[in-house]
Amino acid sequence: MSARTTCGRAARLVLAGLTWRGWADGIALLLLLALAMFFNRDALVSNRIFFENDTPAFYYPLLERMGQGMEAGVFPLWIRTIFGGFPLFADSETGMAYPINLLLLNNFPAWWAMVLHRTAVFTLGAWFMYAFGRSMGFRPFSAAVAAVAFAYGSFLVAQMHHTNIVNSAIWLPLVFCSIEMALRGHGRRRYQWFAVGGLAVGMACLAVHVQVVLMILLASGSYLVYRTVTGPVNVPLVSAALPQRFLKRLLAAHNNVWRTILARFSALAAGAGLVAGLGLLTGAVQLLPLMELAQFSYRGMRVDYGFAATYAMPPLGLLQGVAPYLFKTTAGAWWTQQATWETALYLGVPVVVLAVMGAGLARSRRGLFFVGLTIAGLLLALGPNAPFNLHRLLWELPGFSAMRAPARFTLLVVFGAATLAGLGCHWLDSRLSRSRSVLGPVSLRGIDRATAAVVFGFVSMVPLLLGLVTVTA
């Protein structure tokens, strides 16, 4: 058999394995990468990067020092020029153990490492959210809508200059994706997906921003419990076919009940152990030095609640979800009492509309969880300004009692709303597909494409609007 014939057969097998779904996923991922590059075009093309005071005063100098040390073959655990000596590695804000930082600094100068890091943040955040949408059963377009809404919602865009915050936050959708995929599988496949979730938590811990890591553990733990209780959870059952005798069918049904209970309990235990346990174990190399350093800080264990409640979302700030310029004057100045990047909350009108559709019309058990997550995130972000101070109750828990800035819980709001928007878009897409028999294939195809073009056009405006909001802050 000639080499040409062999290569031809191999090519035919590869092409046969590429379904339209695979092509659609590949195209969506490439478009999300292109969108991240377009959003960061000023940095990639013109060497201009968005920054706030922390960038030139802290993040970039330490990143440059880390790059210089690695270029000299030294891992800079300590720096002498801060406070007469400072444990650089233990502070963790430079993310010295974070694999993406190590990869970039080993191959690029500090400036280009920061530029490429910004692009990587929005690319990975969108990709992970897209993967979660697909694990939820969304079609590619609906998953892409959720990905754009999450990656270019207010949290990642407004906090982009806080490197460790966004580095940790982008792993939240991947943790949820791994839990969803694990509960859809069984046996070895289930444990493999839980392990993926544990590694994602570990990456967030290596990044690390403790408050964001705690949010990830809180949200994903709640989702794991909710999913195992409400289902569906894939359980291999004993056959109870009709030809069997009544007693055998009864025993099989009884065994299936216990199999289901045992499978859900084991899934919950395995998920908690692998996702949280493996994640914290992976991040221990960064978390343990940080915990030791925290003992020398007044925020090491517990802070006064008045301090913990600083940077809470004002009630009027909720209107930013559809009116991003609410607190901006015609002269370009902001009149908020808090830092704009801490209390920003922008989703966009299309995302809000789709999220309402997903919450009210889709009638999904999983959708109910994300309605609750979004509402809980809003209450936590409002802090003492909320009708019910849920943040005060959370502050009583270890770990959360050392954190401030309740408005950062908008991460959960943006994530929950993005998931609901994807659910709403999927519901709308499914409804249009069911109308095929009434409208006919030709007319439906035109309506489907037109709807997709309009929705995608509106959603694509989100990063542009956010760019105007945050860059002029």
Side-chain angles (χ1 to χ4, degrees), residues 122-189:
F122 290 98
T123 302
L124 292 177
W127 282 358
F128 294 158
M129 190 66 194
Y130 180 85
F132 175 52
R134 297 294 279 140
S135 72
M136 292 274 286
F138 297 169
R139 295 178 181 179
F141 177 73
S142 302
V145 168
V148 172
F150 173 74
Y152 301 96
S154 57
F155 189 85
L156 291 184
V157 175
Q159 296 282 0
M160 71 168 76
H161 58 289
H162 287 147
T163 307
N164 55 329
I165 290 182
V166 295
N167 276 345
S168 294
I170 60 174
W171 297 95
L172 173 62
L174 185 58
V175 177
F176 271 71
C177 175
S178 67
I179 292 174
E180 184 64 34
M181 293 299 295
L183 296 178
R184 286 173 175 265
H186 60 85
R188 180 184 299 180
R189 187 177 183 85

Side-chain angles (χ1 to χ4, degrees), residues 8 24 40 57 71 99 113-115 126 134 170 203 288 294 298 334 338 355 420 430-431 457 469:
N40 291 278
E71 186 177 357
M114 175 170 280
V115 169
R134 297 294 279 140
I170 60 174
M203 292 299 102
L288 292 177
Y298 70 96
W334 293 87
Q338 310 284 6
L420 290 173
S430 301
R431 284 282 176 157
V469 172

Side-chain angles (χ1 to χ4, degrees), residues 453-467:
V454 171
V455 175
F456 186 75
F458 274 116
V459 175
S460 297
M461 291 175 62
V462 173
L464 302 180
L465 292 174
L466 284 171

Side-chain angles (χ1 to χ4, degrees), residues 171-430:
W171 297 95
L172 173 62
L174 185 58
V175 177
F176 271 71
C177 175
S178 67
I179 292 174
E180 184 64 34
M181 293 299 295
L183 296 178
R184 286 173 175 265
H186 60 85
R188 180 184 299 180
R189 187 177 183 85
R190 172 173 292 172
Y191 298 117
Q192 289 172 343
W193 276 111
F194 278 143
V196 171
L199 292 176
V201 172
M203 292 299 102
C205 292
L206 292 174
V208 54
H209 191 276
V210 176
Q211 187 177 22
V212 176
V213 171
L214 290 174
M215 279 191 262
I216 292 175
L217 292 174
L218 177 66
S220 60
S222 301
Y223 186 63
L224 177 62
V225 173
Y226 181 85
R227 278 286 279 108
T228 52
V229 171
T230 62
V233 176
N234 193 349
V235 181
L237 301 176
V238 177
S239 176
L242 289 177
Q244 294 177 334
R245 295 184 178 181
F246 173 76
L247 183 58
K248 288 185 177 181
R249 296 202 304 271
L250 185 62
L251 289 175
H254 181 268
N255 289 336
N256 287 339
V257 171
W258 284 106
R259 276 174 176 262
T260 302
I261 295 174
L262 181 61
R264 294 194 178 196
F265 178 79
S266 63
L268 180 60
L274 285 173
V275 175
L278 181 60
L280 295 176
L281 185 63
T282 302
V285 66
Q286 182 66 78
L287 294 176
L288 292 177
L290 177 60
M291 290 175 61
E292 183 178 0
L293 178 63
Q295 304 306 312
F296 297 93
S297 169
Y298 70 96
R299 294 179 60 182
M301 295 298 294
R302 187 182 180 91
V303 297
D304 177 77
Y305 185 71
F307 177 81
T310 55
Y311 296 110
M313 175 73 69
L316 280 177
L318 300 180
L319 297 178
Q320 295 176 100
V322 293
Y325 297 106
L326 179 64
F327 297 112
K328 190 175 183 180
T329 65
T330 55
W334 293 87
W335 54 276
T336 54
Q337 295 180 344
Q338 310 284 6
T340 54
W341 55 85
E342 295 289 7
T343 56
L345 177 61
Y346 180 68
L347 299 169
V349 175
V351 174
V352 172
V353 171
L354 289 173
V356 171
M357 292 175 61
L361 300 176
R363 298 178 183 177
S364 166
R365 280 179 291 180
R366 287 173 297 171
L368 289 176
F369 174 84
F370 290 100
V371 172
L373 182 67
T374 305
I375 294 174
L378 286 173
L379 291 175
L380 289 169
L382 287 168
N385 300 320
F388 172 71
N389 195 348
L390 183 62
H391 179 261
R392 179 62 183 260
L393 296 178
L394 190 65
W395 172 76
E396 298 289 346
L397 298 178
F400 289 100
S401 58
M403 302 294 111
R404 65 168 183 167
R408 289 176 184 165
F409 280 94
T410 53
L411 168 62
L412 303 183
V413 179
V414 173
F415 176 65
T419 305
L420 290 173
L423 186 62
C425 188
H426 178 72
W427 176 87
L428 181 62
D429 192 9
S430 301

Side-chain angles (χ1 to χ4, degrees), residues 11-30:
R12 284 194 295 270
L13 288 174
V14 171
L15 291 174
L18 290 175
T19 62
W20 163 244
R21 176 175 295 182
W23 280 107
D25 288 333
I27 292 172
L29 294 178
L30 288 175

